[in-house]
Amino acid sequence: MNRIVERFQRLTTQGKKGLVIYIGAGDPNLEATRQLALGFDQAGVDVLELGVPFSDPLADGLVNQLAAQRGLESGTTPPKVLETVAAIRRESQMPIVFYVYFNILHKRGVKEFIADCARAGVDGLLVLDLPPEESDNYERLMAEAGLCNIYLIAPTTPEDRMELIAKRAQGFIYYVSREGVTGMQAKVSDTIGSMTAKIRAHTQLPIAVGFGISNPEQAKLVAQSAEAIVVGSAVVNQIAKHGKSPELAAKVSTFVKSLGDAVKSV
Amino acid sequence: MSNAVDLKLPDARGHFGPYGGRYVPETLMHPLQELEEEYRRAQHDPEFRREFDYYLKEFCGRPTPLYFAERLTRELGGAKIYLKREDLLHTGAHKINNAMGQILLAKRMGKTRIIAETGAGQHGVATATVAAMFGFKCVIYMGAVDCERQKLNVFRMKMLGADVVPVKAGQQTLKEAVNEAMRDWVTNVRSTHYILGTAYGAHPYPEMVRNFQRVIGDEARAQIQEKEHRLPDQLIACVGGGSNAIGLFYAFLNDPTVKLIGVEAGGLGIRPEQHAARFQGGSLGVLQGTRSYILQDDYGQIQLTHSVSAGLDYAAVGPEHAWLKDAGRAEYTYATDAEALEAFNALARLEGIIPALESSHAIAECMKRAPKLDRKSILIVNLSGRGDKDVAQVADKLQLQMPV
């Protein structure tokens, strides 16, 4: 069974909420990425969302843009990110999703990229700029490879579109809690509860809510309306702060554990 | 030789064969559908058409002349050369045609805020102009490098009341300005219309921008028939995103005797990171909402580009051009920085017209072709913009001194 599906089933059985953590691969280098991933697994992270650095990340706010830039500067390429996933897999069964822009798949070949991911131990793909309308044979190839295609739903998504997306998504639905790019916010959106309720009318899939969650209090609040929460920029910001310090993985994992504890207490 | 092409393209999903489409984050999917629906209603609304035509004539200064360049023709000793004088439009380039169309659409949609990207600053100035005219808030994103090399246009936009945001990411030119405009749009999509300036981006932009620009070719076709009682042999236009070129070409797509020639920026020569000629060094990819030819490395990272002209200095080309190239209907070549500068000087001295550096690329190609053609041949070159904005940069390159 796909690790994402398995993990959410387990969380449901235990009556617990999930924690999804985003980081940019290769920030500040791929060895750090590997150590961070292993630290996150110990800290109780349920899904690692790994950003494959792209030169033109137009859905990302400044914090994640800079992470992608650091990733590219450290020589991170898609094949090297895949090698890093394979290395993580030798020690951890934590589900891993790639957060990736479509041109990276397109250049490699969609079929080939998916096969590479399956081989390395990636469990799902979230392709930022590939809506269902343009997905062509992507969904079939993903299903054949046993990977979950994670689709986004946004506050601007009307109900009939929610239905279309929910039918075609796998693993979990990623609800983008506000209009905008990735990034930390002082206050979480107050429409999250009503929107997740609308999405639930169309699907049994777990819903993960992200974009803008930056501390344990917000994590706890949002987790009440969802099966999981996603924290990205706040973690990336910690990585930027600690940089190449030998304590990097330990320090960031401590922060991540505080998020996990908040979520699990809901 | 040339094949007939389907004027009904793009299809319902915005595809020109394998090109085009709508590759955007989910937050923009529904707003783009709404934009498309409103655009369809406007297209079939005679009142919208009437309003658009009224402002094109009374405010922008259409129709523009199709001018016989007599001295340039004599100097080159071959084909008769006509210039489509888009440089004479209000704000100084063809960009105002599209900005006018889109602001009228934004008004219909009840938006209150306008954003745009700009490279050379001509689209930014056109957008700031129509925003001022109709009382919209306006923010223009422009690469920091472009702000410096097209300073005059930055001041013009500010005088028109727009906020100009210099974008400091990446190579700080047009591509980064588009990224930043899209980030703004994702964040403010309910209040804001994004006036994209070229025949690029997610559906319906490439089609909509082409249709707002097709007036160039519609006029040129009627004008040449009146003057010469026949169609031209070749059309030449520069291609950045490709809006002035598609605007000129569209009316002639099903005239198989008319050759269509697009001219990309050859920069310092066709070597990685030294040019912006997507059909020379590019490959199929997906960038900023659409599928087309782009300059990229083996892993799909977008490559750096170079051109003396900020308006052509861009890593991707409009999807309809990719389609016209595949269909064998248009051909694409390039002019280098040096050739464009030479053409800039030639047009100034022979015709008393200072062209934009972008349009100078089309003039450069015309200077290569005209001498090889007989005197009965007719060339139309799209003079897409005037060169005031480039005066400081060219003076610097030519090391012109102020008289003391």
Side-chain angles (χ1 to χ4, degrees), chain A residues 55-56 133-134 161 179, chain B residues 13 22 26 175 190:
Chain A
S55 55
D56 293 81
E133 285 85 345
E134 297 290 356
R161 231 186 116 66
E179 288 145 50
Chain B
R13 287 169 51 227
R22 187 177 276 164
E26 173 57 27
K175 174 168 67 73
R190 290 179 205 256

Side-chain angles (χ1 to χ4, degrees), chain A residues 2-3 82 85-86 89 96 98 110-125 141-148:
Chain A
N2 182 287
R3 293 181 195 90
L82 288 161
V85 171
R89 275 285 163 265
I96 297 176
F98 272 177
V110 173
K111 190 177 174 186
E112 291 75 10
F113 189 86
I114 290 170
D116 293 347
C117 287
R119 205 175 307 121
V122 175
D123 307 293
L125 295 180
L141 292 167
M142 289 287 282
E144 284 170 9
L147 265 65
C148 292

